Amino acid sequence: MGIHYFPCHFVYWREIKNHTEFRKRLLNEIENNKSAFTKHGLIGNGYSSFTDRSGDIPDIFNKSLVKNNLDIIKEVVWNSLDTLIKELNDRNNYQKIKIVDSIIDYSWMSIYGKGGSIGCHMHQASRRPRPHTKVPSFVVVYIINDPNENNSTEFKQPFGQIPSLSYSTEYNFNTKNENEIREGVVMIFPSNLYHEVHAIEKENRIIYTFNIYSEFAKPQDMCEVA
């Protein structure tokens, strides 16, 4: 007798210990680069440095933000991903995950005004072509600033995508019920997991989002993963 669990969706969160320092630096970057933020259909009421145009002011800002803050990127993105993978691989009866290499495909900041929201979506599509060995893998969301009492992100698995017999309808995970998910926390989830941001009550919620592409080890190479 035995059981094997297929990989399934998850939402992982982790507190950033150096958040006070990182927050101050990133807010200063925003203050010094106001022209990189424009009203965008991405947010119901707010501003974003997201852009589809390579080489424009927001695109240059997004790239320089990563380049000039490598210590923040290391802690927020790469150290968080390392702890996530270890957590997933410590489970019994699940296929182990081994990542050969990962890159930040694209990153941007978003500033929410009062009532700001984002409709249900996922991050499976890429902005720009990548080597065929790398595929969309994770989304990393760093909550830089949030005066709201609760986080406003809700994750969803639509009917027909539920990997368990326990659920026959849509499954939701609303982060407002998790007191740990607040300013100074990083959330990581699969790039094909649907999510939305409900209208916020207090303005100036600021997040830093990263789309991660990864190359995974081939099945025959997985035996070396403990």
Side-chain angles (χ1 to χ4, degrees):
M1 183 180 295
I3 187 169
H4 174 85
Y5 295 102
F6 278 84
C8 59
H9 285 317
F10 60 83
V11 178
Y12 168 82
W13 58 91
R14 170 179 181 255
E15 184 176 4
I16 300 299
K17 293 181 180 179
N18 296 333
H19 172 66
T20 301
E21 175 196 345
F22 291 172
R23 177 182 180 274
K24 181 178 179 180
R25 286 167 53 187
L26 293 173
L27 291 181
N28 188 59
E29 292 271 14
I30 293 172
E31 181 65 25
N32 293 334
N33 294 275
K34 291 182 178 179
S35 61
F37 292 83
T38 58
K39 282 192 172 294
H40 200 286
L42 185 72
I43 305 176
N45 179 32
Y47 297 85
S48 178
S49 64
F50 183 90
T51 178
D52 292 317
R53 299 184 300 272
S54 181
D56 64 6
I57 292 176
D59 188 53
I60 293 171
F61 167 72
N62 292 330
K63 291 175 181 176
S64 66
L65 192 62
V66 171
K67 183 178 180 181
N68 296 334
N69 296 279
L70 293 178
D71 58 327
I72 294 179
I73 302 304
K74 182 176 187 298
E75 178 62 20
V76 169
V77 178
W78 306 125
N79 288 352
S80 297
L81 276 173
D82 285 345
T83 57
L84 162 65
I85 298 303
K86 183 180 186 305
E87 181 80 16
L88 293 175
N89 284 343
D90 282 345
R91 301 174 303 173
N92 294 324
N93 301 314
Y94 280 88
Q95 175 69 58
K96 305 301 181 183
I97 299 172
K98 181 181 179 183
I99 295 177
V100 176
D101 187 35
S102 291
I103 60 171
I104 297 173
D105 175 66
Y106 189 61
S107 60
W108 67 95
M109 284 185 172
S110 299
I111 305 172
Y112 292 75
K114 184 177 180 180
S117 63
I118 296 181
C120 192
H121 66 288
M122 63 175 179
H123 294 219
Q124 192 72 353
S126 172
R127 288 183 69 255
R128 40 175 82 89
R130 288 294 176 189
H132 70 280
T133 55
K134 289 184 173 64
V135 297
S137 53
F138 307 102
V139 177
V140 178
V141 175
Y142 179 28
I143 307 172
I144 299 172
N145 190 77
D146 194 349
N148 292 277
E149 184 176 348
N150 303 109
N151 193 50
S152 49
T153 309
E154 183 171 8
F155 296 88
K156 298 184 176 183
Q157 283 191 295
F159 174 76
Q161 295 186 355
I162 308 301
S164 170
L165 293 177
S166 302
Y167 303 96
S168 58
T169 59
E170 182 176 270
Y171 180 80
N172 296 15
F173 169 54
N174 198 330
T175 60
K176 74 176 183 180
N177 301 317
E178 291 289 342
N179 292 330
E180 288 185 342
I181 302 180
R182 60 187 187 281
E183 179 184 308
V185 165
V186 168
M187 294 185 293
I188 304 179
F189 50 93
S191 58
N192 61 348
L193 177 58
Y194 284 93
H195 56 286
E196 64 182 312
V197 178
H198 296 294
I200 63 170
E201 296 181 0
K202 298 179 181 179
E203 65 180 3
N204 210 32
R205 178 182 190 259
I206 303 174
I207 63 168
Y208 196 177
T209 304
F210 304 83
N211 281 348
I212 307 299
Y213 265 44
S214 301
E215 178 182 354
F216 294 89
K218 297 178 181 179
Q220 60 265 30
D221 299 326
M222 293 300 296
C223 57
E224 62 185 77
V225 181

